[in-house]
Amino acid sequence: MSMTTFPERTDAAQTATAGKDYLIHVNKGRSDVEPDWLLIGGQRTGNLNRKADELDASHKTSGGWACHLPGLKSWGIDLESVVLLNDEGAHYLEAAFNAGRQVHLKFEYPDKSYYTGWGSITEFSLNTQHDDVATISGTISGDGPLSELQRDEEEDVGDTGSSDTTETTDHDTTDGQEDNP
């Protein structure tokens, strides 16, 4: 097999990312200091919602215009996953819901940076339509703030960031011509 090297795009700010590459993990460890992250399998959607309450600061001398200030902030995750019968992550969420326990979550970006936070599972539904795969859906309402965006140090080790190399067979090339071994 030969190696084909692909260039890195220099205007990376213009590169869109695929939603399939954002993943949610739940901490099955003993604490949030040394987490043991478990991927929730079968994910279809995992929407991270952040908002602030809207405070009405309008007054008689605002020239007839409404004025608003941000109030209390909150976050939550709306999740839908295909039911995978032996998925440990889904079983963990169900157990936490049934026990009324909060969960410690990691919302991971495609570049492996992530947010963490504690939340309560406020909805956990099993959807079994006759013409579709079975899914679980739910809402996790945040308790307190999300962490700052972070990255594990060990994830950076060995990452050169210069190009993407993919191993290909001898007949695969970037210009469509066959390689001669």
Side-chain angles (χ1 to χ4, degrees), residues 4-80:
T4 303
T5 301
F6 301 99
E8 285 292 319
R9 187 172 177 163
T10 56
D11 61 343
Q14 300 300 319
T15 303
T17 57
K20 69 178 181 58
D21 296 330
Y22 293 78
L23 297 171
I24 301 168
H25 305 254
V26 63
N27 179 4
K28 69 173 189 165
R30 304 202 88 187
S31 75
D32 56 3
V33 177
E34 294 182 24
D36 182 6
W37 296 115
L38 176 64
L39 179 66
I40 300 168
Q43 292 179 43
R44 283 193 169 177
T45 61
N47 301 322
L48 175 60
N49 308 307
R50 293 174 280 188
K51 69 177 187 171
D53 292 340
E54 185 177 328
L55 304 178
D56 185 355
S58 304
H59 50 85
K60 292 180 179 181
T61 60
S62 61
W65 289 95
C67 299
H68 297 95
L69 296 173
L72 295 174
K73 295 178 188 152
S74 62
W75 66 273
I77 292 177
D78 294 322
L79 173 70
E80 181 185 43

Side-chain angles (χ1 to χ4, degrees), residues 68-107:
H68 297 95
L69 296 173
L72 295 174
K73 295 178 188 152
S74 62
W75 66 273
I77 292 177
D78 294 322
L79 173 70
E80 181 185 43
S81 294
V82 172
V83 173
L84 303 175
L85 293 177
N86 296 316
D87 182 60
E88 192 178 347
H91 291 298
Y92 190 93
L93 288 179
E94 184 173 18
F97 176 77
N98 290 335
R101 299 295 302 263
Q102 289 189 330
V103 291
H104 185 223
L105 299 170
K106 175 169 80 168
F107 185 89

Side-chain angles (χ1 to χ4, degrees), residues 136-155:
I136 56 170
S137 62
T139 300
I140 301 166
S141 299
D143 180 13
L146 283 171
S147 70
E148 295 292 323
L149 191 61
Q150 51 195 310
R151 177 185 283 273
D152 288 334
E153 293 173 17
E154 56 268 14
E155 295 287 342

